[in-house]
Amino acid sequence: MSERKLRLGAFIQATGHHIAAWRHPGSQADSGTNIDHYQQVAQIAERGLFDLVFLADSPGIYARGDDAARSRYGRIATFEPVTLFAALAATTRHIGFVATDSTTYNEPWLLARKFASLDHISKGRAAWNVVTTGNEQAAGNFGQAEHLAHALRYERAEEFLDVVTGLWDSFDDDAFARDKASGVYFDPDKLHTLNHKGKHFSVTGPLNISRPPQGHPVIVQAGSSDAGRELAARTAEVIFAAWQTLEEAQAFYRDVKGRLARYGRSPDDLKIMPGLSAVVGRTQEEAEAYNRQLQDLIHPDVGISILQPFFPGVDLTAYDLDGPLPPFAANTNGTTSRLALVTDLAQRGDLTLRQLYENLAGARGHRVVVGTPEKIADEIQLWFENEAADGFNIMPPVLPESLDLFVELVIPELQRRGLFRTEYEGATLRENLGLRRPASRYAVTDEVRRSA
Amino acid sequence: MSERKLRLGAFIQATGHHIAAWRHPGSQADSGTNIDHYQQVAQIAERGLFDLVFLADSPGIYARGDDAARSRYGRIATFEPVTLFAALAATTRHIGFVATDSTTYNEPWLLARKFASLDHISKGRAAWNVVTTGNEQAAGNFGQAEHLAHALRYERAEEFLDVVTGLWDSFDDDAFARDKASGVYFDPDKLHTLNHKGKHFSVTGPLNISRPPQGHPVIVQAGSSDAGRELAARTAEVIFAAWQTLEEAQAFYRDVKGRLARYGRSPDDLKIMPGLSAVVGRTQEEAEAYNRQLQDLIHPDVGISILQPFFPGVDLTAYDLDGPLPPFAANTNGTTSRLALVTDLAQRGDLTLRQLYENLAGARGHRVVVGTPEKIADEIQLWFENEAADGFNIMPPVLPESLDLFVELVIPELQRRGLFRTEYEGATLRENLGLRRPASRYAVTDEVRRSA
């Protein structure tokens, strides 16, 4: 039995992660804005003792291609994650909530308050997935002529995070006496005004909410660029990564864990949780048939629309879906992990266009494992025990069906192997993840002041 | 029995509306960030068949005076309203949620999405109380050297509202086919890109969420200035007003209802609901004793701090609390209603400083009625039947205790008189308030296009 504990997140995007999931009989087609669906999914994940549920997000509409292709995208209308998670907090008791929100298109004061509020409402189960937003169409929603360049986005993100964590520390944990007899509600010496003035932000503070139960909501990141890794090493507590092979994942794991020491952090302070799409069957044949059924539901217009960005200057609709690939040039706006996958697959030289898009359709560049509970547990165990992962973000191809199956079949197998919990250990997300509660940035100052 | 129906909101601010409420034995002192408290209060309000619960808000900290006075303010740390209401939506079925949010310190795209999300999560029970923010300290939280001037704030608010309602109409109500067999999820002809370019905002759109169940969340406003009344006449569906006398309330009612026609609206399209603090007792003596107990809990530092802004250039701490008032000059940053109240009271000439702050302490300028259920019902009936109000926002002095008492004693009295409902009529807040569901701004265009 392993001493370390495996961490599991359930990435619960709408109808599921396979691009054709909404057409599958096991999905709820309207789930992006169906609160009953998400209540059900969060309760399944909690029954499976998952650490957290996770939602991606973008401050703009997401759909590719022309009208014919776009009309077939099932994830175009979705809840705002923090609002949704506040509602889910009311009907769950243990599971954590990772809400994605952008540092490029937000005000730090408003974001700090919203996540502090969610942390109080959920009694310590909130996390923020910090993104700089890749969707270039978002800029126009915020009066900006163009999307900020990558380097500037990361510079802004770093300052944004610094402001937000400072605002969360506005009140000391013990600031509130609330003494009815004397009439003293709080100690003004324990309220701190941030007075931040930086390149991107000027924020006076303080925040008008008490320090979150977790001190700070858990900080999650997903960037795999060098700037992303460095920001994560300085500030992240969970990384959501996308890797296809054990070797890639190990290289990333070593690299990021190796960067922590320079910020005075230990390897345990950051949990690396790659994405994993598990297509589970009671037999290998059942799993493969399920996967085939999903692949056959992809309309070619949608398949081509997800490949088109990787083939700039080439009109893919002119090519035979079942013939060889057109000439491939690695010139794209896509994410690093997806680009690497497409490059690798294209360079193999024996794939058709249809096979290429089927490779991306299941989990957008994350690893897909199709098989029995034992096979999926084997893969999880291999990565977990070989410095490739501290856990996984499970990406069910179809929701709620595939998550339910994972909880019924894979979780018990992981428990039998002593890899996964049989009950929640803590009351907060931090406690379940084995993360320390951060001290206030004013704690040292306060100690000095009080002893003076 | 009246044909018109009385509308009732419960204004559920933290420990209650009396400034010393948090010290009272009937309040929960930590209620600003106590989710169990708000769950309880929302359920009491729903048991009382209230149309809605209401929360004020400001994007900054709220406390007056020096540290000694500030340390005695019980409402300094509170939830963000939309996050809170999303959580309350999960544990209630009928009651509506009016969340205050600022047009001065927000991005319209983010606000539109947040309220659309709340409307979906609550299945049609969301409302937005549109404010321009009076708290001058907020500016520093958003990198601004000073608070926008009143006229500019209203100009911005008008454009902000236009953008938000346009974004809510991004998808037509019937945009989503979600046809699993054919694979068509939505009709791109029923998705509208706003392309707004104005003086204050440039917003492309569309919003990435389907049209709210109510079409638009209900629009609430509270301004009583001329600019505020005009904006309300054009856009508001509920007004929260503060008036002390029947005559003032009637004049406001006539004025605002009279402005509606020029925007093609009928008097029924806007419900006027003044604030009312009801200090209820089974006997008049019991109600007065309860009120006296609350007044005696006001610390003089707090009392003076709420008066100080009305006496610029005068140091109130140098005056005897139980002696005559210092010279009064009506020069203030306070709200119109509060200023009018202080002016009236000060000009009576026979009040002490203590009596003056006690007048403001109960409901910050809103009317306070201390008495039996019959007396309170009489007041409500008088205003309701004499064109002074379509309903009231009840401001319980102490929460949850005073709301519970109102539901136990006053609601049955209103029902006996045939003024108030005995069960919810509709499924959405709009239906309960008797408000029409707005058509999409693209509805006419669509009809023309389709018939062409």
Side-chain angles (χ1 to χ4, degrees), chain B residues 339-358:
Chain B
L339 174 61
L341 175 62
V342 175
T343 308
D344 287 354
L345 292 169
Q347 285 170 352
R348 272 174 45 188
D350 57 349
L351 284 182
T352 66
L353 268 179
R354 191 191 303 273
Q355 288 166 332
L356 187 60
Y357 73 60
E358 286 183 351

Side-chain angles (χ1 to χ4, degrees), chain B residues 128-432:
Chain B
W128 171 28
N129 178 34
V130 182
V131 299
T132 69
T133 299
N135 181 354
E136 301 199 351
Q137 295 176 353
N141 293 330
F142 300 90
Q144 297 178 21
E146 53 185 35
H147 195 47
L148 275 186
H150 188 272
L152 266 179
R153 293 209 308 274
Y154 272 87
E155 187 185 273
R156 184 180 151 109
E158 189 164 333
E159 189 180 334
F160 196 113
L161 258 162
D162 190 47
V163 173
V164 167
T165 53
L167 288 170
W168 284 334
D169 291 344
S170 292
F171 288 97
D172 290 347
D173 288 315
D174 61 351
F176 294 92
R178 299 190 183 102
D179 180 7
K180 291 194 179 199
S182 71
V184 173
Y185 194 79
F186 78 102
D187 178 352
D189 286 345
K190 296 179 179 175
L191 170 60
H192 307 277
T193 302
L194 186 65
N195 282 319
H196 172 90
K197 281 192 204 310
K199 178 175 170 186
H200 297 274
F201 303 104
S202 166
V203 179
T204 311
L207 204 62
N208 56 356
I209 187 164
S210 36
R211 196 158 189 259
Q214 295 186 103
H216 302 165
V218 174
I219 299 295
V220 181
Q221 278 165 51
S224 56
S225 68
D226 189 68
R229 292 176 191 211
E230 202 60 26
L231 182 64
R234 194 171 83 84
T235 62
E237 300 172 285
V238 172
I239 291 191
F240 176 45
W243 303 111
Q244 290 290 319
T245 67
L246 179 67
E247 294 68 30
E248 284 171 336
Q250 286 173 322
F252 178 78
Y253 191 96
R254 278 191 303 269
D255 176 72
V256 172
K257 296 263 180 178
R259 293 176 192 233
L260 292 167
R262 76 181 76 149
Y263 299 105
R265 306 180 70 201
S266 96
D268 285 346
D269 292 340
L270 174 60
K271 312 298 178 190
I272 297 181
M273 299 170 64
L276 173 64
S277 168
V279 186
V280 189
R282 283 173 181 80
T283 62
Q284 185 66 30
E285 295 66 36
E286 188 182 298
E288 282 171 13
Y290 195 93
N291 194 49
R292 188 69 255 153
Q293 182 189 12
L294 274 169
Q295 302 289 38
D296 289 344
L297 289 171
I298 307 171
H299 193 281
D301 287 353
V302 173
I304 291 300
S305 75
I306 60 178
L307 289 185
Q308 188 64 67
F310 298 97
F311 292 86
V314 178
D315 177 9
L316 291 183
T317 61
Y319 287 78
D320 179 3
L321 283 180
D322 299 307
L325 294 188
F328 176 73
N331 169 10
T332 171
N333 294 318
T335 66
T336 311
S337 54
R338 221 171 309 169
L339 174 61
L341 175 62
V342 175
T343 308
D344 287 354
L345 292 169
Q347 285 170 352
R348 272 174 45 188
D350 57 349
L351 284 182
T352 66
L353 268 179
R354 191 191 303 273
Q355 288 166 332
L356 187 60
Y357 73 60
E358 286 183 351
N359 259 290
L360 279 173
R364 305 185 317 283
H366 290 269
R367 193 164 59 124
V368 179
V369 180
V370 181
T372 61
E374 293 73 25
K375 177 176 173 181
I376 290 161
D378 285 349
E379 293 281 328
I380 287 174
Q381 186 165 8
L382 181 70
W383 285 39
F384 177 65
E385 293 181 344
N386 288 281
E387 299 200 319
D390 297 314
F392 291 88
N393 274 296
I394 303 301
M395 303 169 70
V398 176
L399 282 167
E401 187 170 86
S402 311
L403 183 63
D404 205 48
L405 212 56
F406 192 96
V407 168
E408 287 305 306
L409 301 178
V410 184
I411 293 286
E413 179 61 28
L414 294 170
Q415 289 169 328
R416 268 192 293 276
R417 299 181 187 195
L419 293 168
F420 194 56
R421 65 166 64 88
T422 52
E423 60 184 25
Y424 284 104
E425 302 87 10
T428 68
L429 174 58
R430 273 184 189 283
E431 288 169 9
N432 285 321

